[in-house]
Amino acid sequence: AAPAASAELDAAAAEKLAKREAKKAAKAAKIAAAKAKKEAREAAQKAKAAAKAANGGDDDDDNKKKSGKDDIPEFVNTTPAGEKKDLTAEMASSYHPPAVEAAWYAWWQKQGYFTPTAEANGRPKYVIVIPPPNVTGSLHLGHALTNSVQDALVRWRRMKGDDVLWVPGTDHAGIATQRVVEKRMWNDSKQTRHDLGRTDFVKKVWEWKEMYGSKIYNQLRRLGSSLDWTRTAFTMDDNLSAAVTECFVRFFEEGLIYRADRLVNWCCTLETAISDIEVEYIDIEKPVQRKVPGHGDKTYPFGVLDKFAYKVIGGSDDDELVVATTRIETMLGDTAVAVHPDDERYKKYHGKKLKHPFVDREIPIILDSVLVDMNFGTGAVKVTPAHDPNDYATGKRHNLEFINILNRNGTFNENGGEFAGMKRFDVRLAIIGKFKEMGLYRGKEPNPMRLGLCSRSGDVVEPFLTPQWWVDCKDMAAEAVKAVRTGELEIVPAHPHTNTWYHWLENVQDWCISRQLWWGHRIPAYLISIKGDPIPDDAETKNWVSAPTVEEARAKAAKKLGVPEDDVVLTQDEDVLDTWFSSGLFPFSVFGWPRETDDFKRFFPTSVLETGHDILFFWVARMVMMSQKLTGKLPFKQVLLHAMVRDAHNRKMSKSLGNVIDPLHCIEGISLEDLHETLKSGNLGESEIKKAIAGQKADYPKGIPECGTDALRFGLCSYMSQGRSINLDVNRVVAYRHFCNKLWNATRFALTHLEGAEPSPHKTLYDEDTNRTGIENWLLSRLAAATATSENGLASFQLAEATDAAYNFWMHELCAVFLEAIKPWVYIDDSASDEAKARKASVQRTLYTALDMGLRLLHPFMPFVTEELWQRLPHRPDEPAESLMMAAFPDTDVLNKAWSNKQAEEDVKLMNSLADQVRSLRGEYRLTPKQKPTLTVHMTDADEIKRLTPLLETLGELTWTSSVSILDATAGAVKSNTTQACVGVSTSIEVRLTVKGFVNPDALIKTAQTRQKKMQAKRDHLYKSTQTVYYDDKTPDEVKKSNQETLDSFDAQLLAFEKSIKNFEALKQEASDDN
């Protein structure tokens, strides 16, 4: 026996040794494979780098890097432009935005779908004009939001059968365009516009516009905007320019336009007046040194109050008035110092004068209770009427001298004395130095302030006194207020914008409409004089005439001066009109006004104006005022104001924060590295770039994945329920890209089961069908409800309601419930009974209807993917539309009448509540979808039993169970056993899942105990924080309430863990007893 035992031991040892060696060999092979894989990867990277270098740095994998989908080949559109897309190839396995979006837009446009029919035929009219983006512009999220909303509205109305027109156009953007072209000229040839002269420079701008002006249009096409391109407008087109001239001449003749010398916002870099909306304010909290455009690399102090003394004429050396200012250089234009009449400190100086230290000027001490707060600062205020709005009003009250100290370029003029010719901020430093030398400087102190910067140049804006053209707006503003008060014009949302409307227009100021530019509508006004006479004052309206042509102006001038036309000298104003002037005419000038064209008669007034609330006054109010005055009609019936787009953290979009998102980056995707590169092409400094890069890393650590146009549009419209700002989270757009994929897969699944199906004709679609099951009746009822909610959302401009309704129908009803429920029926073959085949046919018809109408609900928001999927579906035999965009939108009244079924909805709601609890149990017991236990539903309510019985098969499909049965417990409760996982659904229902044989009790217990321990630690930590000495007295009530709710939640979850562990232990004991 001994030798045999020894042999056995040797064999066992040999086997162990062999296993050990095999493990070593496997490990060595694994290491070698990993090493080979690494070497191959490195070799591939080197080859890629070499190829990239050979191609001049171009990266062939850019599209892969952007989309994050290396396995999807780059899509190449082979459909000829304008032709219908060929969909005969097999449907792709997943949604791919570039492939889906290709070809459709060009086909829609060629088919003429964007252009209204020649005749309205009595159909309701729906007209929108686009808020014209700057011709210099490129797409930003504000444009993307505006156009997504407008396109959703016009597509919906088009599907409703309305006579729809959406007019595209761009604004000539005087300052912005001139600035771009001047920069390009300087970079290309070191030339200024003055080197070319006005005529040649304007030609150069037109050339630039023709070359680059279509960029924004191409981007609008990329967004799917269904604009009527046959009516494209540009604010410098001949017909729109004629409208501008007509308006100016009319207003001038009526005395609404006049000439006056007043303060304006002045940009010294651009040498022009700018509007309030072109002034961007920054908050300066503490003293800082800043660079100023046009001043080189020097820095200058801001956020500081400098104090200096004016000496009293005829007084002692101690008699002085100390004033404080943030703009000490403007003291060269001071013409008074104001004190409060009740201020005892200065009563002895009433009627006295002060000596100006730098120019030969005596400055009166004036008494003013409006300007002066005697409790602020020194109680003495310097007054510079020509360079400060408050001082301007003071100067008017006291009839002070208005002395302009600046040239147009920001240098000091002859009124600056010894500082003449110097740049304004160099004068700031020089004057402080001089005051110190003279012993008049009285120190400085921090002063938080808002600094106005020109949005176009970044230069510090100066209040500047100069002759300009103005519009008297008072009467027109009153009519605009009346239109809203009477309900003739509706502003949506009414709060707070209606009150803003009243506030602005009831306190309206006259509008400065002249700009010192060359690009734009040159003002049709002429300074008139008689040959040989001196040139008259150009600040006086009486010295001007206005006319469409020089010939008409000469005739008017001759009549006005009482001389022959040959004796008249005409000088046309060099200035151009504010861009907002021509934009204010846009809703009717695009239709040919002042001519009574067919388009004007048919399409004006328009239906709705959709834009951002930030230009409610600058654009919307002016359109209303000018339209009422010139046409006698409101330009539109409703104004829809969308919120401003901010980032997910509620921060304003800013390049320096790195949170500005180009819509194309969302559509196409972009890597983090390429996002960083976009920062370097701007005007940010190094420190700002570092800050922005950090922001991008935090918000987009993996870049932005490719989402596609449909997901971006749907995401933006889904935000149309927020207030004054939209906190855009790119991850939400990414989620809607996954939704597109869900649509794709659902349709792809359905198409495999619709072969041979015969969709009901429209004429019989709403007839009663006795073959329909409860789940079908439920789905059609939910479709009717989704349609009603969608229509209401679109009609009331609550677009988020419409997107939510369509999304919920597809995701939570069609896909999550119906497609799962019908799987037993769609797989029925020809060998089945006639009854089964009839049910299958009914299911197919319902499935088709849900897909067809579900795509119609989504189309206004997701035009590309819905068109692609709808074109792949079989169509009803009497379907008149060739394109989904021309198909009828589901009719709420018809659907509700035919399909609304509250009982079916209640029955399926009951079933879904059971399914949710069963799925929760499956999760608790870690069951996989392949593990299919039996399900028993313990019920004590006879009516609920009756309602649930027809849905048991569906319940089984939704819960991945092998069988479902009802345990009728109306006579009394039936005790469960430890092999069943139980949970109560209601007081009358309990679901019981037989889990024995499917689970590992030990693993479940261990996992539950670990989670219980972590939960207990969190609970203990929070509880400890509530037991501090100051908690009750110092903690806000809302925080205490929130903490208590969290503690209660922890306690409930800990109790659930305890119950689960007991169940698992019982299950373990049961299994032990069986063994």
Side-chain angles (χ1 to χ4, degrees), residues 205-486:
V205 182
W206 274 107
E207 290 172 5
W208 182 92
K209 183 264 178 187
E210 294 304 317
M211 189 175 301
Y212 298 103
S214 61
K215 178 181 178 182
I216 195 80
Y217 289 152
N218 294 332
Q219 292 174 323
L220 290 172
R221 289 183 173 94
R222 184 68 186 274
L223 268 179
S225 304
S226 55
L227 293 147
D228 181 5
W229 296 106
T230 67
R231 288 179 168 86
T232 301
F234 176 54
T235 51
M236 289 281 284
D237 286 344
D238 288 344
N239 59 316
L240 275 75
S241 296
V244 169
T245 299
E246 177 74 15
C247 175
F248 188 95
V249 173
R250 284 197 198 182
F251 281 9
F252 182 90
E253 295 294 341
E254 292 183 35
L256 293 176
I257 286 181
Y258 62 93
R259 185 82 165 167
D261 206 6
R262 290 186 178 175
L263 278 185
V264 295
N265 298 315
W266 188 264
C267 175
C268 298
T269 296
L270 303 178
E271 297 188 30
T272 181
I274 59 176
S275 65
D276 288 344
I277 201 172
E278 289 162 326
V279 180
E280 293 182 347
Y281 290 93
I282 60 171
D283 291 317
I284 296 179
E285 302 295 338
K286 58 184 180 180
V288 294
Q289 293 287 126
R290 286 182 57 90
K291 291 182 180 179
V292 178
H295 287 66
D297 291 329
K298 291 183 182 178
T299 61
Y300 301 90
F302 292 89
V304 175
L305 269 176
D306 288 297
K307 291 180 283 188
F308 67 93
Y310 273 121
K311 293 296 184 178
V312 179
I313 295 175
S316 67
D317 290 341
D318 295 332
D319 285 325
E320 64 182 29
L321 266 66
V322 176
V323 296
T325 177
T326 58
R327 300 162 64 220
I328 197 169
E329 65 278 8
T330 64
M331 62 83 56
L332 292 167
D334 285 357
T335 57
V337 169
V339 297
H340 196 283
D342 299 331
D343 194 333
E344 294 294 338
R345 293 173 294 177
Y346 300 117
K347 283 191 173 181
K348 62 181 178 179
Y349 299 129
H350 290 188
K352 301 285 187 179
K353 293 185 177 182
L354 305 170
K355 173 64 179 174
H356 197 289
F358 299 117
V359 294
D360 186 17
R361 186 188 312 149
E362 293 183 351
I363 298 175
I365 298 172
I366 62 173
L367 309 180
D368 195 296
S369 59
V370 177
L371 180 67
V372 181
D373 177 357
M374 59 182 173
N375 296 316
F376 179 78
T378 65
V381 180
K382 62 186 285 297
V383 183
T384 319
H387 292 281
D388 181 272
N390 293 323
D391 295 0
Y392 178 89
T394 304
K396 289 291 184 181
R397 286 196 300 274
H398 294 272
N399 197 28
L400 298 177
E401 186 179 5
F402 287 68
I403 299 175
N404 181 13
I405 56 175
L406 291 178
N407 296 311
R408 288 165 54 124
N409 64 0
T411 58
F412 273 61
N413 61 25
E414 66 279 2
N415 292 324
E418 63 187 276
F419 305 100
M422 292 177 63
K423 295 177 180 179
R424 57 197 158 131
F425 291 104
D426 287 336
V427 174
R428 175 174 295 186
L429 300 181
I431 281 185
I432 292 173
K434 284 282 187 179
F435 272 138
K436 289 179 179 178
E437 290 176 11
M438 300 165 71
L440 296 175
Y441 192 66
R442 297 294 181 262
K444 61 182 180 181
E445 61 185 57
N447 181 65
M449 63 180 293
R450 296 186 76 213
L451 184 66
L453 304 178
C454 173
S455 63
R456 302 299 179 186
S457 67
D459 200 359
V460 177
V461 173
E462 289 289 342
F464 189 67
L465 189 66
T466 177
Q468 301 284 345
W469 290 102
W470 301 81
V471 177
D472 181 349
C473 298
K474 288 187 292 295
D475 292 341
M476 291 189 290
E479 288 298 312
V481 167
K482 181 181 176 182
V484 174
R485 288 199 185 280
T486 60

